[in-house]
Amino acid sequence: MSETTQADERLDKRSEKQAAKLAREMQAFARSHGGSAEGQLAHIGRGQTRIALVGANGEWGNLVARSYEAAKKGAEKAGITLHDDFDGELAAKVRTGRYEWSRMAGLQVGGPSND
């Protein structure tokens, strides 16, 4: 077996392991936020992918995967519906609270300081 084949097999195993871990984390998120979740995948640089999740109750969260493939496999294993974009229908489901609004406004609009 060539070194390239062995390296590819190690990468495949690592990707599968991460996909399984991500699937467990996504399932736990869905269970604790209304029983289901939807998401969107976005490249964030250096091969990493952000998984934005929105629970059935409107709560949201993020996970980061080492690769787009691992993120996609994890979502498929978890039964998460993926959207192409985080706008429109998916964005309308997000429920934000006072904390998020104050953090988004920051000091520019009189939000709390970062102290």
Coordinates of all heavy atoms in Angstrom, one line a residue, residues 5-81:
T5 N -2.0 6.4 -0.2 CA -3.2 5.6 0.1 C -3.4 5.6 1.6 O -4.6 5.8 2.1 CB -3.2 4.2 -0.5 OG1 -2.9 4.3 -1.9 CG2 -4.5 3.5 -0.3
Q6 N -2.4 5.3 2.3 CA -2.5 5.2 3.8 C -2.9 6.6 4.4 O -3.7 6.7 5.3 CB -1.1 4.8 4.4 CG -0.8 3.3 4.1 CD 0.5 3.0 4.7 OE1 1.4 3.8 4.8 NE2 0.7 1.7 4.9
A7 N -2.3 7.7 3.8 CA -2.6 9.0 4.3 C -4.1 9.3 4.0 O -4.8 9.9 4.8 CB -1.7 10.0 3.7
D8 N -4.5 9.0 2.8 CA -6.0 9.2 2.5 C -6.9 8.4 3.4 O -7.9 8.9 3.8 CB -6.2 8.8 1.0 CG -5.6 9.7 0.0 OD1 -5.2 10.9 0.4 OD2 -5.5 9.4 -1.2
E9 N -6.5 7.2 3.7 CA -7.3 6.4 4.6 C -7.4 7.0 6.0 O -8.5 7.0 6.6 CB -6.8 4.9 4.7 CG -7.1 4.1 3.5 CD -6.5 2.7 3.6 OE1 -6.0 2.3 4.6 OE2 -6.6 2.0 2.6
R10 N -6.3 7.5 6.5 CA -6.2 8.2 7.8 C -7.1 9.4 7.8 O -7.9 9.7 8.7 CB -4.8 8.6 8.2 CG -4.0 7.4 8.7 CD -2.7 7.8 9.4 NE -1.9 8.6 8.5 CZ -0.9 8.1 7.8 NH1 -0.7 6.8 7.7 NH2 -0.2 8.9 7.0
L11 N -7.1 10.2 6.7 CA -7.9 11.4 6.6 C -9.4 11.0 6.5 O -10.2 11.7 7.1 CB -7.6 12.2 5.3 CG -6.3 13.1 5.4 CD1 -6.0 13.7 4.1 CD2 -6.5 14.1 6.5
D12 N -9.7 9.9 5.8 CA -11.1 9.5 5.7 C -11.6 9.0 7.1 O -12.7 9.4 7.5 CB -11.3 8.3 4.7 CG -11.1 8.8 3.3 OD1 -11.2 10.0 3.0 OD2 -10.9 7.9 2.4
K13 N -10.8 8.3 7.8 CA -11.2 7.9 9.2 C -11.4 9.1 10.1 O -12.3 9.1 10.9 CB -10.1 6.9 9.8 CG -10.2 5.5 9.1 CD -9.1 4.6 9.8 CE -9.1 3.3 9.1 NZ -8.0 2.4 9.6
R14 N -10.5 10.0 10.0 CA -10.6 11.2 10.8 C -11.8 12.0 10.5 O -12.6 12.5 11.4 CB -9.4 12.1 10.7 CG -9.3 13.3 11.6 CD -8.2 14.2 11.4 NE -6.9 13.5 11.5 CZ -5.8 14.0 11.0 NH1 -5.7 15.2 10.4 NH2 -4.7 13.3 11.0
S15 N -12.1 12.1 9.2 CA -13.3 12.8 8.8 C -14.6 12.1 9.3 O -15.5 12.8 9.7 CB -13.3 13.0 7.2 OG -14.5 13.7 6.8
E16 N -14.6 10.8 9.2 CA -15.8 10.0 9.6 C -16.0 10.2 11.1 O -17.1 10.3 11.6 CB -15.6 8.5 9.3 CG -15.9 8.2 7.8 CD -17.3 8.5 7.4 OE1 -18.3 8.3 8.2 OE2 -17.5 9.0 6.3
K17 N -14.8 10.2 11.9 CA -14.9 10.3 13.3 C -15.5 11.7 13.7 O -16.3 11.8 14.6 CB -13.5 10.1 13.9 CG -13.5 10.0 15.4 CD -12.1 9.6 15.9 CE -12.1 9.5 17.4 NZ -10.7 9.2 17.9
Q18 N -15.0 12.7 13.0 CA -15.5 14.0 13.3 C -16.9 14.2 12.9 O -17.7 14.8 13.6 CB -14.7 15.1 12.7 CG -15.2 16.5 13.2 CD -14.5 17.7 12.6 OE1 -14.2 17.7 11.4 NE2 -14.5 18.8 13.4
A19 N -17.3 13.6 11.8 CA -18.7 13.7 11.4 C -19.6 13.0 12.4 O -20.7 13.5 12.7 CB -18.9 13.0 10.0
A20 N -19.2 11.9 13.0 CA -20.0 11.2 14.0 C -20.1 12.1 15.2 O -21.2 12.2 15.8 CB -19.4 9.9 14.3
K21 N -19.0 12.7 15.6 CA -19.1 13.6 16.8 C -20.0 14.8 16.5 O -20.8 15.2 17.4 CB -17.6 14.1 17.1 CG -17.6 15.0 18.3 CD -16.2 15.4 18.7 CE -16.2 16.3 19.9 NZ -15.5 17.5 19.9
L22 N -19.8 15.4 15.4 CA -20.7 16.5 15.0 C -22.2 16.1 15.0 O -23.0 16.9 15.5 CB -20.3 17.1 13.7 CG -19.0 17.9 13.6 CD1 -18.6 18.1 12.2 CD2 -19.1 19.2 14.4
A23 N -22.5 15.0 14.5 CA -23.8 14.5 14.5 C -24.4 14.3 15.9 O -25.5 14.8 16.1 CB -23.9 13.1 13.7
R24 N -23.6 13.8 16.8 CA -24.1 13.7 18.2 C -24.3 15.1 18.8 O -25.3 15.3 19.5 CB -23.0 13.0 19.1 CG -23.0 11.5 18.8 CD -22.1 10.7 19.8 NE -20.8 11.2 19.9 CZ -19.7 10.8 19.2 NH1 -19.9 9.9 18.2 NH2 -18.5 11.3 19.3
E25 N -23.4 16.0 18.5 CA -23.6 17.4 19.0 C -24.9 18.1 18.4 O -25.6 18.8 19.1 CB -22.4 18.2 18.8 CG -21.2 17.8 19.6 CD -19.9 18.5 19.3 OE1 -19.8 19.0 18.1 OE2 -19.0 18.5 20.1
M26 N -25.1 17.9 17.1 CA -26.2 18.5 16.5 C -27.5 17.8 17.0 O -28.5 18.5 17.2 CB -26.1 18.3 15.0 CG -25.1 19.2 14.3 SD -25.1 19.1 12.5 CE -23.5 18.5 12.3
Q27 N -27.5 16.5 17.2 CA -28.7 15.9 17.8 C -29.0 16.3 19.2 O -30.2 16.6 19.5 CB -28.5 14.3 17.7 CG -28.5 13.7 16.4 CD -28.1 12.3 16.3 OE1 -27.3 11.9 17.2 NE2 -28.5 11.6 15.3
A28 N -28.0 16.5 20.0 CA -28.2 17.0 21.3 C -28.8 18.5 21.3 O -29.7 18.8 22.1 CB -26.9 17.0 22.1
F29 N -28.2 19.3 20.4 CA -28.8 20.6 20.2 C -30.3 20.6 19.8 O -31.1 21.3 20.4 CB -28.0 21.4 19.1 CG -28.5 22.8 18.9 CD1 -28.1 23.9 19.6 CD2 -29.5 23.0 17.9 CE1 -28.6 25.1 19.4 CE2 -30.0 24.2 17.6 CZ -29.5 25.3 18.4
A30 N -30.6 19.8 18.9 CA -32.0 19.6 18.4 C -32.9 19.2 19.6 O -34.0 19.8 19.8 CB -32.1 18.7 17.2
R31 N -32.4 18.2 20.3 CA -33.3 17.7 21.4 C -33.5 18.7 22.5 O -34.6 18.9 23.0 CB -32.6 16.5 22.1 CG -32.8 15.2 21.5 CD -32.3 14.0 22.4 NE -31.0 14.1 22.8 CZ -29.9 13.7 22.1 NH1 -30.0 13.1 20.9 NH2 -28.7 13.8 22.6
S32 N -32.5 19.5 22.8 CA -32.7 20.5 23.8 C -33.3 21.8 23.3 O -33.6 22.7 24.1 CB -31.3 20.8 24.5 OG -30.4 21.4 23.6
H33 N -33.6 21.9 22.0 CA -34.2 23.2 21.5 C -35.4 22.9 20.6 O -35.5 23.3 19.5 CB -33.1 24.0 20.7 CG -32.0 24.5 21.6 ND1 -32.2 25.5 22.5 CD2 -30.7 24.1 21.7 CE1 -31.1 25.7 23.1 NE2 -30.2 24.9 22.6
G34 N -36.3 22.1 21.2 CA -37.6 21.9 20.5 C -37.7 20.6 19.8 O -38.7 20.4 19.1
G35 N -36.7 19.8 19.7 CA -36.8 18.5 19.1 C -36.3 18.4 17.7 O -36.1 17.3 17.2
S36 N -36.0 19.5 17.0 CA -35.5 19.4 15.7 C -34.6 20.7 15.5 O -34.7 21.6 16.2 CB -36.6 19.3 14.6 OG -37.4 20.5 14.6
A37 N -33.9 20.7 14.4 CA -33.1 21.8 14.0 C -32.8 21.9 12.5 O -33.0 20.9 11.8 CB -31.7 21.8 14.8
E38 N -32.5 23.1 12.1 CA -32.1 23.3 10.7 C -30.8 24.0 10.7 O -30.4 24.6 11.7 CB -33.1 24.2 10.0 CG -34.5 23.5 10.0 CD -35.6 24.4 9.3 OE1 -35.3 24.9 8.2 OE2 -36.6 24.6 10.0
G39 N -30.1 24.0 9.6 CA -28.8 24.6 9.6 C -28.3 25.1 8.3 O -29.0 24.9 7.2
Q40 N -27.1 25.7 8.3 CA -26.5 26.2 7.1 C -25.0 26.1 7.3 O -24.5 26.3 8.3 CB -26.9 27.7 6.9 CG -26.5 28.3 5.5 CD -25.2 29.1 5.6 OE1 -24.8 29.6 6.7 NE2 -24.5 29.3 4.5
L41 N -24.3 25.7 6.2 CA -22.9 25.5 6.2 C -22.2 26.7 5.5 O -22.7 27.1 4.5 CB -22.5 24.2 5.5 CG -23.1 22.9 6.0 CD1 -22.6 21.7 5.2 CD2 -22.9 22.7 7.5
A42 N -21.1 27.2 6.1 CA -20.3 28.3 5.5 C -18.9 28.1 5.7 O -18.4 27.8 6.8 CB -20.8 29.6 6.1
H43 N -18.1 28.2 4.6 CA -16.6 28.1 4.8 C -16.2 29.4 5.6 O -16.6 30.5 5.3 CB -16.0 28.2 3.4 CG -16.3 27.0 2.6 ND1 -15.6 25.8 2.7 CD2 -17.1 26.8 1.5 CE1 -16.1 24.9 1.9 NE2 -17.0 25.5 1.1
I44 N -15.3 29.1 6.5 CA -14.8 30.2 7.3 C -13.2 30.4 7.2 O -12.7 31.2 7.9 CB -15.2 30.1 8.8 CG1 -14.7 28.8 9.4 CG2 -16.7 30.3 9.0 CD1 -15.0 28.7 10.9
G45 N -12.6 29.7 6.4 CA -11.2 29.9 6.1 C -10.4 28.7 6.6 O -10.8 27.9 7.5
R46 N -9.2 28.5 6.0 CA -8.3 27.4 6.3 C -9.0 26.0 6.3 O -8.7 25.2 7.2 CB -7.6 27.6 7.6 CG -6.7 28.9 7.5 CD -5.8 28.9 8.7 NE -5.0 30.1 8.5 CZ -3.7 30.1 8.7 NH1 -3.0 29.0 9.0 NH2 -3.0 31.2 8.6
G47 N -9.9 25.9 5.4 CA -10.6 24.6 5.3 C -11.7 24.3 6.3 O -12.4 23.3 6.2
Q48 N -11.9 25.2 7.2 CA -12.9 25.0 8.2 C -14.3 25.4 7.8 O -14.4 26.3 6.9 CB -12.5 25.7 9.5 CG -11.3 25.2 10.2 CD -11.0 25.8 11.5 OE1 -11.3 27.0 11.7 NE2 -10.3 25.1 12.4
T49 N -15.3 24.9 8.4 CA -16.7 25.2 8.0 C -17.5 25.4 9.3 O -17.4 24.7 10.2 CB -17.3 24.0 7.3 OG1 -16.6 23.8 6.0 CG2 -18.8 24.2 6.9
R50 N -18.3 26.5 9.3 CA -19.2 26.8 10.4 C -20.5 26.2 10.1 O -21.0 26.3 9.0 CB -19.4 28.4 10.5 CG -20.4 28.8 11.5 CD -20.7 30.2 11.5 NE -21.3 30.5 10.2 CZ -22.4 31.2 10.1 NH1 -23.1 31.6 11.1 NH2 -23.0 31.4 8.9
I51 N -21.1 25.6 11.1 CA -22.4 25.0 11.0 C -23.3 25.9 11.9 O -23.2 25.8 13.1 CB -22.4 23.6 11.5 CG1 -21.4 22.7 10.8 CG2 -23.8 23.0 11.4 CD1 -21.0 21.5 11.6
A52 N -24.1 26.7 11.3 CA -25.1 27.5 12.0 C -26.3 26.7 12.2 O -26.9 26.2 11.2 CB -25.4 28.8 11.3
L53 N -26.8 26.5 13.5 CA -28.0 25.7 13.8 C -29.1 26.6 14.3 O -28.8 27.5 15.1 CB -27.6 24.6 14.8 CG -26.6 23.6 14.3 CD1 -26.2 22.8 15.5 CD2 -27.2 22.7 13.3
V54 N -30.3 26.3 13.9 CA -31.5 27.0 14.5 C -32.4 25.9 15.0 O -32.9 25.1 14.2 CB -32.2 27.9 13.4 CG1 -33.4 28.6 14.1 CG2 -31.2 28.9 12.9
G55 N -32.7 25.9 16.3 CA -33.6 24.9 16.8 C -35.1 25.2 16.5 O -35.4 26.4 16.1
A56 N -35.9 24.3 16.7 CA -37.4 24.5 16.5 C -37.9 25.6 17.4 O -38.9 26.2 17.0 CB -38.1 23.2 16.8
N57 N -37.3 25.9 18.5 CA -37.8 26.9 19.4 C -37.2 28.3 19.1 O -37.4 29.3 19.8 CB -37.5 26.6 20.9 CG -36.0 26.5 21.2 OD1 -35.2 26.6 20.3 ND2 -35.7 26.2 22.4
G58 N -36.4 28.4 18.0 CA -35.8 29.6 17.6 C -34.4 29.9 18.2 O -33.7 30.9 17.8
E59 N -34.0 29.1 19.1 CA -32.6 29.3 19.7 C -31.6 28.9 18.6 O -31.9 28.0 17.8 CB -32.4 28.4 20.9 CG -33.3 28.8 22.1 CD -32.9 30.1 22.8 OE1 -31.7 30.4 22.8 OE2 -33.8 30.8 23.2
W60 N -30.4 29.5 18.7 CA -29.4 29.2 17.6 C -28.0 29.0 18.3 O -27.8 29.3 19.4 CB -29.4 30.3 16.6 CG -29.1 31.7 17.2 CD1 -30.0 32.5 17.8 CD2 -27.8 32.3 17.3 NE1 -29.3 33.7 18.3 CE2 -28.0 33.6 18.0 CE3 -26.5 32.0 16.9 CZ2 -27.0 34.4 18.2 CZ3 -25.5 32.9 17.2 CH2 -25.7 34.1 17.8
G61 N -27.2 28.4 17.5 CA -25.8 28.1 17.9 C -25.0 27.8 16.8 O -25.4 27.6 15.6
N62 N -23.7 27.6 17.0 CA -22.7 27.3 16.0 C -21.8 26.2 16.4 O -21.5 26.1 17.6 CB -21.8 28.6 15.7 CG -22.5 29.7 15.0 OD1 -23.0 29.5 14.0 ND2 -22.5 30.8 15.7
L63 N -21.4 25.4 15.4 CA -20.3 24.5 15.6 C -19.3 24.7 14.5 O -19.6 25.3 13.4 CB -20.8 23.0 15.4 CG -21.8 22.5 16.5 CD1 -22.4 21.2 16.0 CD2 -21.1 22.3 17.8
V64 N -18.1 24.3 14.7 CA -17.0 24.4 13.6 C -16.5 23.0 13.3 O -16.2 22.3 14.2 CB -15.9 25.4 14.1 CG1 -14.8 25.4 13.0 CG2 -16.4 26.8 14.3
A65 N -16.4 22.7 12.0 CA -15.9 21.5 11.5 C -14.6 21.7 10.8 O -14.3 22.8 10.3 CB -16.9 20.8 10.6
R66 N -13.7 20.7 10.8 CA -12.4 20.8 10.1 C -12.6 20.8 8.6 O -11.6 21.2 7.9 CB -11.5 19.6 10.5 CG -11.0 19.7 11.9 CD -10.0 18.6 12.2 NE -9.9 18.4 13.6 CZ -10.1 17.3 14.2 NH1 -10.4 16.2 13.5 NH2 -9.9 17.2 15.5
S67 N -13.7 20.3 8.1 CA -13.9 20.3 6.7 C -15.4 20.4 6.3 O -16.2 20.1 7.2 CB -13.3 19.0 6.1 OG -14.1 17.9 6.4
Y68 N -15.6 20.8 5.1 CA -17.0 20.9 4.6 C -17.6 19.6 4.6 O -18.8 19.4 4.9 CB -17.0 21.6 3.3 CG -18.4 21.9 2.7 CD1 -19.0 23.1 3.1 CD2 -19.1 21.0 1.9 CE1 -20.3 23.4 2.6 CE2 -20.3 21.3 1.5 CZ -21.0 22.4 1.8 OH -22.2 22.7 1.3
E69 N -16.8 18.6 4.1 CA -17.3 17.2 4.0 C -17.8 16.6 5.3 O -18.8 16.0 5.4 CB -16.3 16.3 3.3 CG -16.0 16.6 1.9 CD -15.1 17.9 1.7 OE1 -14.4 18.3 2.7 OE2 -15.2 18.5 0.6
A70 N -17.0 16.9 6.4 CA -17.3 16.4 7.7 C -18.6 17.1 8.2 O -19.4 16.4 8.8 CB -16.2 16.6 8.7
A71 N -18.7 18.4 8.0 CA -19.9 19.1 8.4 C -21.1 18.6 7.7 O -22.2 18.4 8.4 CB -19.7 20.6 8.1
K72 N -21.0 18.4 6.4 CA -22.2 17.9 5.7 C -22.6 16.5 6.1 O -23.8 16.2 6.3 CB -21.9 17.9 4.2 CG -23.1 17.6 3.3 CD -22.8 17.9 1.9 CE -24.1 17.6 1.1 NZ -23.9 17.9 -0.3
K73 N -21.6 15.6 6.2 CA -21.9 14.2 6.7 C -22.5 14.2 8.1 O -23.4 13.4 8.3 CB -20.6 13.4 6.7 CG -20.1 12.9 5.4 CD -18.9 12.1 5.5 CE -18.2 11.8 4.2 NZ -17.0 11.1 4.3
G74 N -22.0 15.0 9.0 CA -22.5 15.1 10.3 C -24.0 15.6 10.3 O -24.8 15.0 11.0
A75 N -24.3 16.6 9.5 CA -25.7 17.1 9.4 C -26.6 16.0 8.8 O -27.7 15.8 9.3 CB -25.7 18.3 8.5
E76 N -26.1 15.2 7.8 CA -26.9 14.2 7.3 C -27.2 13.1 8.3 O -28.3 12.6 8.4 CB -26.2 13.6 6.0 CG -26.2 14.5 4.8 CD -25.3 14.0 3.7 OE1 -24.6 13.0 3.8 OE2 -25.3 14.7 2.7
K77 N -26.1 12.7 9.1 CA -26.3 11.7 10.1 C -27.3 12.1 11.2 O -28.0 11.3 11.7 CB -25.0 11.3 10.7 CG -24.0 10.5 9.8 CD -22.7 10.2 10.5 CE -21.9 9.4 9.6 NZ -20.7 8.8 10.3
A78 N -27.2 13.4 11.5 CA -28.1 14.0 12.5 C -29.5 14.2 12.1 O -30.4 14.5 12.9 CB -27.5 15.2 13.1
G79 N -29.7 14.2 10.8 CA -31.1 14.5 10.3 C -31.4 16.0 10.2 O -32.5 16.4 10.3
I80 N -30.3 16.8 10.1 CA -30.5 18.2 10.1 C -30.8 18.7 8.7 O -30.1 18.3 7.7 CB -29.2 19.0 10.6 CG1 -28.9 18.5 12.0 CG2 -29.4 20.5 10.5 CD1 -29.9 18.9 13.1
T81 N -31.8 19.5 8.5 CA -32.1 20.0 7.2 C -31.2 21.2 6.9 O -31.1 22.1 7.7 CB -33.6 20.6 7.1 OG1 -34.5 19.5 7.4 CG2 -33.9 21.2 5.8

